[in-house]
Amino acid sequence: MSMDNCSLTCGQDRVLWPKSRNTLGLDNFGPETFDFDVENMELTDVEENNDKVKDLAEKAFSIMKENVKKLYPMDFVKNYDYGGHCNSGTVEVSIKIECDDHVITLITDESYTLKINRDGNRFLLVQLIGKTFFGIRHGLETLSQLIIFDDEVNTLKTLSPVLINDSPAFPYRGLMIDSARNFIPIGSLERMIDGMSYNKLNMLHWHLSDSNSFPFFSRTYPQMTHYGAYSKKEIYTPNQVRNLVEYALVRGIKIIPELDAPAHAGNGWQWGPETEGYGNLAFCVNEEPWKKFCGQPPCGQLNPANPKVYEVLGGIYSDMLSVFDPDLFHMGGDEVWFECWKNQSVQTFMKENNLNDFMDLRVYFQNNGKLVIIS
């Protein structure tokens, strides 16, 4: 028996990750496997009336099948027709999705049932049932984990019979990535999303701006990247972002954008004094000594006394929400450095608006920022 075959059939935990919460069958049968080639793996039916959801399911199956192809050794692939194993059977996958949801939220049902049974010696029937597409996608991930390449007989193997009822333990399972301090190319972001999908994570918090740089291209205020991007090549265009959101969605992941404010907002916000009527949009940009003006260099903090700041934020928010799912958005809000606001214009603004201290001013900023998001 090959090592990969043993990983599939030996021991209690087997090959599933994350571990299934309710697995029936894996402990009740011996090393019964089914041989097949990847080209004999077919999606026979998707029971779903919504075209968007059906398309997502078909794409997710295609991704799973491409991942299964990667199980073949490279030297084997060069000299072999995927469908050429004389004893290989056919795997027929059917999918049933009960709800039309295609936007993942914190209350989305991501459960699924996976059934695998033989139909004679030549056919393996795989049934996937889920409340939503997102459960189906996790079920396809589980199915791919139940497939190995056996190098002793040069074919793919999976288990039968199997019955798995599974659901995530937590509604939010994710990572945060910062591409403002260090620009990260789209291809690298896609590879990270792939890795998240293999582990059935569902939320990617994208820290998209900081005082270091502003790489998101705003159609409303292109000055932001002109002043804030590291270079012309280190910019995320709306089309790139929109495509990345779709790339993540078909892998069961929501991207949550963060526009950090009022602190961590420096490079990109310097253009106000050079544009008639806008004035100082930010204070302390790249000021030294940085320890006096911010929590970490380079410094920069938005000007809460300038009404144009909220106008610009509204335009950027609108641009971002047009390419991201609009139900979750991160406004930043951390590490506000009150020393940066200690100037005459801010002090006068606070008196005029009956703001007693800088904490009141911070609340004022967040409340007005929230208003321009929802307006």
Side-chain angles (χ1 to χ4, degrees):
M1 178 183 293
S2 69
M3 183 67 75
D4 286 335
N5 197 353
C6 185
S7 71
L8 184 66
T9 59
C10 305
Q12 183 177 0
D13 294 334
R14 312 275 174 113
V15 292
L16 296 185
W17 182 261
K19 292 182 182 179
S20 171
R21 300 180 73 194
N22 185 1
T23 303
L24 307 174
L26 287 179
D27 298 326
N28 299 325
F29 62 85
E32 181 180 349
T33 59
F34 183 87
D35 295 359
F36 71 101
D37 287 293
V38 69
E39 293 305 326
N40 294 336
M41 191 176 198
E42 305 169 357
L43 180 60
T44 58
D45 183 47
V46 179
E47 189 175 330
E48 169 57 54
N49 294 325
N50 185 287
D51 289 340
K52 171 69 173 178
V53 177
K54 186 174 183 178
D55 180 62
L56 286 171
E58 291 171 347
K59 287 179 178 177
F61 176 82
S62 296
I63 291 168
M64 184 274 295
K65 191 171 178 179
E66 287 302 311
N67 288 336
V68 170
K69 284 184 179 181
K70 296 174 184 177
L71 297 174
Y72 289 91
M74 287 303 299
D75 58 342
F76 183 80
V77 171
K78 291 178 181 178
N79 303 297
Y80 185 71
D81 178 359
Y82 284 119
H85 192 272
C86 61
N87 295 318
S88 64
T90 298
V91 176
E92 296 184 346
V93 180
S94 64
I95 290 173
K96 180 180 180 181
I97 307 174
E98 298 177 359
C99 300
D100 293 341
D101 296 349
H102 53 81
V103 176
I104 191 166
T105 71
L106 295 178
I107 60 172
T108 296
D109 189 329
E110 298 176 73
S111 64
Y112 67 90
T113 296
L114 173 63
K115 301 177 183 179
I116 305 177
N117 291 286
R118 284 179 180 268
D119 183 10
N121 294 325
R122 302 287 295 177
F123 289 91
L124 190 73
L125 304 183
V126 178
Q127 294 176 285
L128 257 177
I129 303 171
K131 289 287 186 181
T132 66
F133 157 74
F134 301 99
I136 293 298
R137 199 226 66 86
H138 299 324
L140 289 169
E141 194 65 50
T142 295
L143 175 60
S144 72
Q145 292 177 4
L146 292 173
I147 299 170
I148 59 100
F149 178 82
D150 189 339
D151 56 11
E152 290 190 350
V153 292
N154 289 335
T155 190
L156 298 174
K157 288 181 180 290
T158 190
L159 294 170
S160 172
V162 173
L163 174 58
I164 297 175
N165 295 305
D166 195 14
S167 60
F170 304 100
Y172 190 110
R173 310 176 307 282
L175 302 176
M176 190 275 278
I177 191 164
D178 179 349
S179 64
R181 290 178 174 88
N182 296 283
F183 183 83
I184 301 174
I186 291 292
S188 297
L189 293 173
E190 289 176 344
R191 286 193 295 275
M192 192 183 71
I193 290 170
D194 290 341
M196 291 177 65
S197 71
Y198 304 151
N199 292 278
K200 301 188 177 85
L201 302 183
N202 67 346
M203 299 284 174
L204 175 59
H205 175 167
W206 191 359
H207 184 78
L208 195 50
S209 70
D210 211 285
S211 53
N212 307 68
S213 75
F214 197 99
F216 174 76
F217 181 80
S218 166
R219 295 188 188 278
T220 308
Y221 294 102
Q223 303 99 312
M224 297 302 298
T225 46
H226 178 75
Y227 281 82
Y230 285 132
S231 73
K232 293 181 179 179
K233 294 182 178 180
E234 294 171 297
I235 290 173
Y236 302 113
T237 68
N239 283 339
Q240 285 178 318
V241 173
R242 191 177 290 108
N243 291 338
L244 189 68
V245 169
E246 183 68 20
Y247 186 93
L249 175 63
V250 76
R251 289 160 179 81
I253 297 166
K254 172 191 287 295
I255 299 180
I256 303 169
E258 178 188 352
L259 176 66
D260 213 347
H264 296 279
N267 289 296
W269 292 91
Q270 308 101 310
W271 54 271
E274 300 176 12
T275 305
E276 184 177 354
Y278 280 84
N280 284 323
L281 299 173
F283 296 126
C284 311
V285 179
N286 298 321
E287 285 279 0
E288 294 287 351
W290 66 265
K291 289 185 179 180
K292 180 179 179 180
F293 299 105
C294 60
Q296 61 188 59
C299 294
Q301 195 158 286
L302 296 184
N303 178 2
N306 184 351
K308 285 294 183 179
V309 166
Y310 306 101
E311 180 181 312
V312 175
L313 281 174
I316 298 171
Y317 287 150
S318 178
D319 290 341
M320 294 181 76
L321 293 177
S322 69
V323 295
F324 289 96
D325 290 342
D327 59 319
L328 283 177
F329 189 91
H330 201 294
M331 296 175 63
D334 64 314
E335 296 185 322
V336 178
W337 222 252
F338 294 152
E339 190 70 29
C340 185
W341 283 345
K342 289 183 179 179
N343 60 62
Q344 189 59 50
S345 64
V346 172
Q347 298 282 349
T348 301
F349 176 82
M350 291 174 66
K351 289 180 181 179
E352 292 174 349
N353 289 273
N354 299 316
L355 302 173
N356 297 320
D357 53 31
F358 287 119
M359 186 57 72
D360 284 351
L361 181 60
R362 179 178 181 174
V363 172
Y364 175 91
F365 177 89
Q366 294 297 153
N367 287 339
N368 279 272
K370 182 171 66 176
L371 286 175
V372 297
I373 289 180
I374 63 179
S375 63

